[in-house]
Amino acid sequence: MAEARKFQAIKGVRDILPPESALWNRVEQMAREVFETYGFGEIRLPIFEQTELFARSVGSETDIVSKEMYQFSSNPQFEDLRDARAQALRIFDSVARSSSQPLPGFFVASVREYVELIETKVNSGLLELNKEIEERLSSLKSVLSEAETEDEQKFWLDLRIKTELLKLSEDFALRPEATASVVRAYIEHGMHTLPGNVKLYYIGPMFRRERPQKGRYRQFYQIGAEVLGRADHPRIDAEVIEMLVRFFNSVGLTGTTRYINSIGCKQCRPKYVERLRAELVKVKDKLGADSQRRIETNPLRVLDSKLPNEQEMIATLPRIADHLCEDCKKHYAELRAQLALRGIAYEENWRLVRGLDYYMRTTFEIVAPGLGSQNAVCGGGRYDGLVELLGGPPTKGIGFAIGTDRLILSLQDRSLQDRALQEAASRDSAAAATSGSAALATTSLDVYVAWMGEKAYPTAMKTARMLREAGLRVELPASDAKLGKSLGLADKLGARHAVIIGENEVASGEFMVKVLADSEQRKVRDEELVGHLKGARNV
Ligand code: AMP
């Protein structure tokens, strides 16, 4: 007789039960409402993707990719082949990276093992090779047969490349994060041809094999958003941070600290990283094993270290702010000015490098009280160039991910659950009713704020904020344009109204409101704008 067995959720994975699940729903709904007022539309992504997508974008040397991904093979019968190939490549890479004597014998033996495994399967009829794979196999075998005679660098590299090319099943991974998937989807669906910047948000689970503790799980949830397009004005970065602040305020998460930094670009960062590496090599003996390894693999990550005995030494390291190129300096200064204009308090943190390879220039993190050591509730940054790296056209990008588990923990910790729920329940019902619509952000804008002249921007920014707070979906371009061009873009984006703000309007406090469908226009005073536009929407 079968023995009665008690099943339990796997380590690091948990159930979310009522009444807590109600808070989760509320928080996620609030994100939808706030993000949609900024013109974002939801993207639903697959839970698993090709492993290579994450390796290429997040970086194969990062902890996430090298240690924490849950992977499986497209054909489970051939998992031994996948492991044998991965083992050979790993041996080569660790030898190539380390400064110690190479161990070519080991490497050659592991490649041989891989080849023999393939042949055994073929001979026993388990595996049938197509022509391309057959050619790759014979090409690898011919390099292998020279193994005894050659010892040139080129030979090892050749062997590695041919081993890598001989791949018999695809590897998939449960997504450890979602930016890579958003970028893949952006390219796959040709979204670069859409007008303006593409603004997408996602909500869902991510998977990382981390050591579980409070606030750190193996299946955890993120609410994230990305802005992809041609523009990289720091106003976009500041608006994204403003949206986060609004979201956190709306769920009742107060007392957060926002950290910002700039980690430079392709021009200036490599030089800084070399400086940093040179300094780190000098103090190598004083560092722990992780940091010692990172001197080789990713010196920036040493700045992330929380080890108490490394802190004093880290404080003396060169700082990236002193090594930024002129363009990056300007971008960072403008970001700070834009945050100040929006009344957003922040702290600069030169050690905020973020773990993933794709970040550049702006990085930011939001920390919440009541969470102990896992206190980051949101991380993000700019990643211009990632779209190109994954095979798309030159594109700028910025995004963030909020850790929902931690956000909820922080809300619960401060007994704010009731308040958030009450506030949510008493929210303007008209706004709630419309925000449930699943229409794409790019086709469901209420208002396009067409501003002209730098002096008009602060008023345009405040007007956009006021309209968004009233639940309207608003696009505020980061740069101004001639009126005709602005109205053309407003029309393409599907906006119902354009609010026109030039210097005269700033002085008079009276804005021109244009109905885009029939070109009707009228002047509306600042204080009547919300009523006018909401009235028009309900017609
Ligand atoms: P990252 O994708 O690593 O930039 O993380 C973004 C946010 O996701 C972090 O600030 C955390 O709030 C959250 N997060 C990351 N990893 C975990 C995890 N293992 N468990 C819970 N939350 C996590």
Side-chain angles (χ1 to χ4, degrees):
M1 245 194 16
E3 202 182 308
R5 203 182 144 187
K6 275 194 191 147
F7 290 104
Q8 285 187 325
I10 305 162
K11 193 173 162 210
V13 164
R14 67 208 178 107
D15 304 304
I16 295 156
L17 307 174
E20 187 183 322
S21 51
L23 183 58
W24 279 74
N25 284 335
R26 210 39 245 169
V27 161
E28 289 175 353
Q29 182 54 22
M30 198 66 81
R32 292 177 200 282
E33 287 176 19
V34 172
F35 295 179
E36 285 177 11
T37 66
Y38 282 78
F40 284 72
E42 182 176 7
I43 181 165
R44 297 202 181 199
L45 298 159
I47 299 285
F48 62 99
E49 299 264 7
Q50 287 176 358
T51 304
E52 186 62 22
L53 173 70
F54 301 115
R56 188 89 73 84
S57 55
V58 177
S60 51
E61 292 296 341
T62 56
D63 287 353
I64 292 179
V65 169
S66 65
K67 296 195 248 169
E68 297 170 1
M69 281 202 300
Y70 288 97
Q71 295 183 48
F72 54 99
S73 172
S74 60
N75 187 342
Q77 262 190 314
F78 301 148
E79 265 170 13
D80 50 351
L81 291 177
R82 181 197 70 188
D83 293 346
R85 174 174 166 275
Q87 162 91 342
L89 296 176
R90 215 170 17 244
I91 290 178
F92 179 89
D93 290 347
S94 65
V95 167
R97 252 202 333 265
S98 77
S99 45
S100 60
Q101 235 359 63
L103 294 169
F106 256 141
F107 175 48
V108 174
S110 62
V111 176
R112 267 215 184 95
E113 226 167 85
Y114 178 43
V115 168
E116 279 162 17
L117 205 54
I118 295 174
E119 292 186 321
T120 316
K121 282 203 191 310
V122 171
N123 293 339
S124 59
L126 275 174
L127 177 64
E128 213 173 300
L129 302 182
N130 64 28
K131 211 163 163 353
E132 191 188 355
I133 297 287
E134 234 170 49
E135 278 166 17
R136 289 183 182 187
L137 177 62
S138 78
S139 163
L140 176 60
K141 278 167 70 181
S142 93
V143 185
L144 256 185
S145 67
E146 296 160 22
E148 313 306 324
T149 54
E150 290 263 5
D151 63 352
E152 297 286 319
Q153 194 76 354
K154 186 179 154 300
F155 163 77
W156 301 116
L157 212 53
D158 208 20
L159 197 57
R160 189 204 184 281
I161 291 168
K162 298 225 153 91
T163 307
E164 184 161 19
L165 284 175
L166 186 60
K167 193 173 178 185
L168 290 151
S169 72
E170 257 187 312
D171 294 341
F172 300 145
L174 295 185
R175 61 184 188 190
E177 58 106 55
T179 302
S181 301
V182 173
V183 169
R184 194 240 339 112
Y186 177 85
I187 299 168
E188 190 172 331
H189 302 290
M191 289 193 228
H192 62 280
T193 57
L194 293 174
N197 280 332
V198 173
K199 300 175 175 183
L200 299 166
Y201 72 88
Y202 58 83
I203 295 177
M206 309 292 153
F207 305 86
R208 295 182 195 169
R209 192 185 283 110
E210 293 193 275
R211 198 165 48 77
Q213 54 179 284
K214 185 182 169 206
R216 198 203 265 167
Y217 311 100
R218 291 181 164 179
Q219 174 172 337
F220 61 99
Y221 295 79
Q222 287 187 336
I223 300 173
E226 319 285 348
V227 183
L228 291 147
R230 247 160 281 163
D232 66 347
H233 198 288
R235 282 180 184 133
I236 300 174
D237 310 28
E239 191 177 86
V240 160
I241 296 173
E242 175 192 296
M243 180 169 91
L244 274 165
V245 170
R246 246 200 79 201
F247 167 65
F248 283 137
N249 283 342
S250 71
V251 295
L253 185 76
T254 49
T256 57
T257 311
R258 301 130 205 166
Y259 293 107
I260 63 163
N261 190 24
S262 173
I263 55 168
C265 65
K266 276 207 293 272
Q267 312 304 327
C268 52
R269 191 167 40 174
K271 287 181 215 147
Y272 168 70
V273 169
E274 276 323 303
R275 269 286 310 273
L276 188 63
R277 182 177 275 134
E279 291 304 313
L280 286 168
V281 167
K282 290 185 201 159
V283 292
K284 190 170 178 180
D285 296 343
K286 297 195 190 118
L287 298 172
D290 275 348
S291 292
Q292 288 199 5
R293 187 169 42 81
R294 286 177 178 149
I295 298 178
E296 295 296 329
T297 59
N298 193 350
L300 278 181
R301 289 292 313 277
V302 176
L303 305 182
D304 262 353
S305 161
K306 306 249 172 356
L307 286 184
N309 57 349
E310 291 183 346
Q311 301 308 308
E312 202 176 314
M313 189 281 302
I314 290 174
T316 66
L317 291 170
R319 301 182 174 209
I320 191 149
D322 302 326
H323 296 81
L324 293 178
C325 62
E326 282 311 308
D327 282 351
C328 285
K329 256 188 216 157
K330 232 171 91 189
H331 194 274
Y332 188 41
E334 184 59 27
L335 167 66
R336 287 171 302 188
Q338 286 296 324
L339 289 173
L341 175 66
R342 288 166 163 79
I344 295 173
Y346 61 85
E347 284 182 30
E348 290 181 74
N349 178 0
W350 71 277
R351 289 176 54 179
L352 181 65
V353 294
R354 314 274 300 122
L356 325 186
D357 274 9
Y358 53 61
Y359 285 116
M360 62 164 287
R361 287 199 172 151
T362 308
T363 54
F364 56 92
E365 195 161 274
I366 300 182
V367 163
L371 289 174
S373 63
Q374 305 301 316
N375 61 355
V377 279
C378 173
R382 183 161 275 292
Y383 49 80
D384 306 342
L386 178 59
V387 176
E388 262 173 293
L389 185 71
L390 296 180
T395 307
K396 316 284 186 190
I398 181 163
F400 63 78
I402 297 164
T404 319
D405 307 75
R406 294 187 194 173
L407 168 58
I408 301 276
L409 276 172
S410 186
L411 289 174
Q412 289 171 325
D413 185 73
R414 292 171 314 142
S415 314
L416 286 172
Q417 181 175 349
D418 287 345
R419 210 182 94 195
L421 285 170
Q422 273 162 18
E423 278 178 10
S426 63
R427 211 156 285 273
D428 174 11
S429 59
T434 50
S435 60
S437 129
L440 250 183
T442 46
T443 57
S444 62
L445 278 181
D446 293 309
V447 182
Y448 186 93
V449 180
W451 58 278
M452 281 152 295
E454 288 295 312
K455 289 207 181 105
Y457 184 76
T459 305
M461 187 276 290
K462 285 185 194 124
T463 306
R465 182 149 69 190
M466 172 179 80
L467 298 177
R468 284 166 173 157
E469 277 165 7
L472 291 159
R473 295 168 204 188
V474 180
E475 178 68 18
L476 172 68
S479 310
D480 66 346
K482 293 227 169 72
L483 186 58
K485 203 170 162 206
S486 281
L487 295 180
L489 183 57
D491 201 33
K492 277 195 207 150
L493 290 171
R496 292 166 61 108
H497 293 92
V499 173
I500 300 164
I501 306 180
E503 285 178 27
N504 291 341
E505 284 79 5
V506 173
S508 68
E510 211 172 38
F511 308 136
M512 186 65 83
V513 177
K514 206 170 163 63
V515 180
L516 283 151
D518 57 14
S519 300
E520 180 203 314
Q521 58 183 47
R522 59 186 285 192
K523 283 189 172 167
V524 180
R525 287 209 61 76
D526 184 5
E527 59 274 16
E528 287 156 11
L529 204 53
V530 168
H532 177 77
L533 291 167
K534 286 192 100 170
R537 187 167 74 169
N538 294 333
V539 172

